[in-house]
């Protein structure tokens, strides 16, 4: 076989492989099961994208609902919107940080002092849930890279600016329905767990 025929055969095989890969990719984009819903109706997004440098996503929360509020130094207000227990054994707390002061706010005191979480800068990695009756404290979870399972990139909060945040914790026992949410430099607030 000549080099010309070999090159043509390789191109043909490459084109066939590329076509098969594209067909599989297109087929994998949809499960084909719409759950009995009208395909023309808009779907609610399960997550919102944060504007931090790591492009993390966080669970969506109803920002109109407030289950707890903390007012701290420099006129910073933390509004908590939900604390949801999921079937995987986690509690996800969603909230909003609002700078009602006149100066730029950087939450450097809100990050954890743990060496393992040093990568999670400008975050709420120092948050915790406290079960006062059970005398237990639940710290923010982390991934295998040492990043907190929480919002990062909260630095540079301008006056009158608000940003959403989330933090994930191990879930307390099912019998625990109320915990204190704590964040360094802020007063704690009692919140009810749902789910």
């Amino acid at each position: 076989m000549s080099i010309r025929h070999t090159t043509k055969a390789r191109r043909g095989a490459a084109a066939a492989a590329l076509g098969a890969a594209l067909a599989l990719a297109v087929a994998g984009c949809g499960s084909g099961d719409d759950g009995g819903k009208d395909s023309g109706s808009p779907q609610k997004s399960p997550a919102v994208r944060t504007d931090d440098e790591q492009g993390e996503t966080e669970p969506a929360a109803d920002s109109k609902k407030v289950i707890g509020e903390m007012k701290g130094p420099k006129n910073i207000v933390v509004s908590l919107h939900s604390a949801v227990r999921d079937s995987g054994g986690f509690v996800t707390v969603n909230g909003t940080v609002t700078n009602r002061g006149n100066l730029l706010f950087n939450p450097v005191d809100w990050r954890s002092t743990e060496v393992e979480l040093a990568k999670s800068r400008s975050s709420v990695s120092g948050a915790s849930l406290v079960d006062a009756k059970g005398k237990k404290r639940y710290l923010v979870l982390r991934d295998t890279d040492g990043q907190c399972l929480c919002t990062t990139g909260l630095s540079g909060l301008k006056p009158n600016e608000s940003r959403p945040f989330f933090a994930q914790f191990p879930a307390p026992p099912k019998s625990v329905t109320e915990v204190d949410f704590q964040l360094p430099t802020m007063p704690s607030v009692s919140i009810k767990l749902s789910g």
Side-chain angles (χ1 to χ4, degrees):
M1 189 181 268
S2 71
I3 292 176
R4 182 175 175 198
H5 291 294
T6 304
T7 304
K8 279 186 178 180
R10 285 184 184 160
R11 282 187 196 152
L18 181 60
L22 286 173
L24 285 173
V26 170
C29 285
S31 66
D33 179 21
D34 62 359
K37 295 181 182 176
D38 177 20
S39 61
S41 64
Q43 300 288 324
K44 283 189 178 179
S45 174
V48 294
R49 195 151 196 63
T50 61
D51 60 354
D52 64 20
E53 68 275 0
Q54 295 166 356
E56 293 181 18
T57 58
E58 57 189 58
D62 182 4
S63 62
K64 293 177 184 163
K65 180 180 176 185
V66 176
I67 63 169
E69 189 171 80
M70 307 157 79
K71 295 179 181 179
K74 301 179 185 174
N75 291 320
I76 299 301
V77 177
V78 175
S79 302
L80 302 176
H81 307 301
S82 66
V84 181
R85 183 193 305 266
D86 69 16
S87 59
F90 306 110
V91 169
T92 302
V93 175
N94 286 285
T96 303
V97 180
T98 304
N99 182 356
R100 294 192 180 151
N102 299 332
L103 304 171
L104 198 67
F105 176 68
N106 291 307
V108 292
D109 294 329
W110 290 2
R111 66 181 180 212
S112 174
T113 57
E114 292 181 65
V115 175
E116 293 84 9
L117 288 174
K119 294 179 183 178
S120 299
R121 297 192 173 123
S122 300
S123 69
V124 292
S125 60
S128 61
L129 296 180
V130 176
D131 170 14
K133 288 181 183 174
K135 298 181 181 176
K136 278 197 154 187
R137 177 182 300 265
Y138 299 90
L139 303 177
V140 172
L141 294 169
R142 66 187 66 131
D143 64 18
T144 54
D145 293 329
Q147 294 282 354
C148 72
L149 295 180
C150 65
T151 300
T152 60
L154 282 175
S155 62
L157 195 64
K158 298 174 186 167
N160 299 314
E161 183 181 6
S162 294
R163 289 198 201 155
F165 75 90
F166 80 100
Q168 277 194 326
F169 304 89
K174 284 275 189 187
S175 59
V176 178
T177 58
E178 194 168 323
V179 293
D180 290 336
F181 179 81
Q182 296 183 339
L183 199 54
T185 73
M186 303 289 282
S188 65
V189 63
S190 181
I191 57 174
K192 289 196 180 288
L193 301 177
S194 61

